Amino acid sequence: MSSFKALVVDKVDGNPEMSIQTLTTDQLTSGDVLIKVHYSSVNYKDAMIAVNGQFAEKFPMVPGIDLAGEVVESVNEDFQPGDQVLATSYYIGTRNFGGFSEYAKIPAEWLVPLPEGLTLRESMILGTAGFTAALSIDKLEQNGLRPDDGKVLVAGASGGVGSISVNMLSDIGYHVEASTGHMEEVQYLKSIGAKRVIHRDEVTDEEDKPIRKRQWIAAIDPIGGKTTQYILSSLDYGGYVATCGLVGGVEVKTTVLPFISRNIQWIGVDSVKFPMEGRKKIWDRLATDLKPSKLSRDIATEITLNELPDTLKEILKGQIRGRFIVNFIKDSDEETE
């Protein structure tokens, strides 16, 4: 290839501006594997980078913390031309040019061979959101959670992590309750597995109460802030919460009471630098027992590179549901079920 298209964010008079530009491989940041990108997923963090100029270590930057595609060139013996691979997080789209590009150079140590049981498209419907959801469930189960233990709350259920968590948990036998700020999405959430849907205000702690009525044995919490406070105060005895996001804020006000009187566990989930050995195991689960049943049909929306800037702005406004993926191979023969 002589040139290709990418979404580039640069600072103009101190403010981030997005544009679709023509690049060459010489302009890509360093990496020992050159990948023809087939799909990239769209995440809240990408919007923070592209619209607000946050998280990026330098400009100009090609955002896109997730990508999946085919190896074109490699100086690492672990990867050969034609291999199908995916990559999520690390410094992709923040320090190294990321997935919102028809080609990307990625360090080999950040790459995961595409697991059997997933297509490249499916891997990006999942992306960091699916990986985070699966990692949260895996951590909860490692700490002892089982489907018969009781109800599980998924906060922020209309979003990427939330939607996939609802579907995964329901598929493997959990009674799932979902909270959302978008009550127009009640039927959507029930269609992917939620037994009950409540407004996010019902799980927002405005009173700073450390203890409330017991409601859930566990929760997946991509929100943080006052939502985390409410969950901690509402877990049943021996309950667990896996916190994996901060869209609702980073400050949490609580006391030791729920921990020592109800024996609860607060579990932190990091998807950015999670070790590769464990990362591959989670992706294997995403291709098998944790592969969501509604993955292609209900959760995903495809867009083009030209539609990406508007989508990134909509994410920050909370105006989208489920997962959005950028399709770079519209004219190819790859399955797009």
Side-chain angles (χ1 to χ4, degrees), residues 39-50 54-56 61-68 86-101 106 110-111 124 126-132 161 271-272 279 283 308 312 323:
Y39 297 94
S40 180
S41 60
V42 188
N43 299 278
Y44 188 85
K45 186 174 182 179
D46 297 319
M48 297 289 283
I49 295 166
Q54 295 177 268
F55 298 115
M61 177 55 59
V62 175
I65 64 173
D66 300 340
L67 61 90
L86 64 94
T88 60
S89 301
Y90 293 104
Y91 298 104
I92 302 168
T94 59
R95 179 184 299 171
N96 284 55
F97 281 10
F100 295 160
S101 173
I106 303 295
W110 298 352
L111 290 175
M124 284 298 98
L126 292 165
T128 287
F131 179 79
T132 302
V161 174
S271 62
V272 177
R279 186 178 291 262
W283 276 106
L308 180 57
L312 289 164
R323 296 287 286 154

Side-chain angles (χ1 to χ4, degrees), residues 222-259:
I223 306 301
K226 292 184 179 295
T227 297
T228 305
Q229 290 177 200
Y230 192 98
I231 292 170
L232 291 171
S233 72
S234 305
L235 290 174
D236 204 349
Y237 188 87
Y240 326 79
V241 54
T243 297
C244 55
L246 47 69
V247 297
V250 298
E251 294 185 4
V252 176
K253 186 175 182 179
T254 188
T255 73
V256 299
L257 288 177
F259 299 94

Side-chain angles (χ1 to χ4, degrees), residues 164-328:
I164 296 175
S165 296
V166 168
N167 193 201
M168 285 179 178
L169 287 165
S170 175
D171 284 349
I172 57 178
Y174 287 91
H175 179 111
V176 184
E177 300 194 344
S179 70
T180 179
H182 301 279
M183 295 307 285
E184 68 274 13
E185 304 293 0
V186 169
Q187 290 307 311
Y188 161 69
L189 291 170
K190 288 186 175 180
S191 75
I192 61 174
K195 299 293 186 185
R196 176 173 171 250
V197 181
I198 58 178
H199 195 277
R200 67 183 172 202
D201 289 348
E202 296 184 49
V203 292
T204 302
D205 181 14
E206 299 294 353
E207 302 165 327
D208 293 341
K209 291 177 62 175
I211 294 289
R212 287 182 171 81
K213 177 184 176 181
R214 302 174 184 182
Q215 298 185 61
W216 304 284
I217 190 62
I220 292 180
D221 166 33
I223 306 301
K226 292 184 179 295
T227 297
T228 305
Q229 290 177 200
Y230 192 98
I231 292 170
L232 291 171
S233 72
S234 305
L235 290 174
D236 204 349
Y237 188 87
Y240 326 79
V241 54
T243 297
C244 55
L246 47 69
V247 297
V250 298
E251 294 185 4
V252 176
K253 186 175 182 179
T254 188
T255 73
V256 299
L257 288 177
F259 299 94
I260 63 176
S261 67
R262 292 186 178 172
N263 192 36
I264 69 169
Q265 299 181 53
W266 188 3
I267 302 166
V269 178
D270 166 52
S271 62
V272 177
K273 299 177 184 177
F274 194 69
M276 181 54 74
E277 182 179 357
R279 186 178 291 262
K280 289 178 179 178
K281 291 179 181 177
I282 296 298
W283 276 106
D284 286 341
R285 289 200 69 184
L286 283 164
T288 53
D289 65 305
L290 286 183
K291 185 176 181 179
S293 61
K294 307 291 186 179
L295 186 61
S296 293
R297 187 167 66 247
D298 298 326
I299 293 176
T301 301
E302 281 191 14
I303 61 171
T304 65
L305 184 63
N306 288 332
E307 294 171 309
L308 180 57
D310 287 340
T311 301
L312 289 164
K313 294 173 185 177
E314 289 168 2
I315 286 181
L316 287 187
K317 296 176 183 177
Q319 295 177 341
I320 69 171
R321 77 176 189 195
R323 296 287 286 154
F324 277 65
I325 60 171
V326 185
N327 184 341
F328 289 99

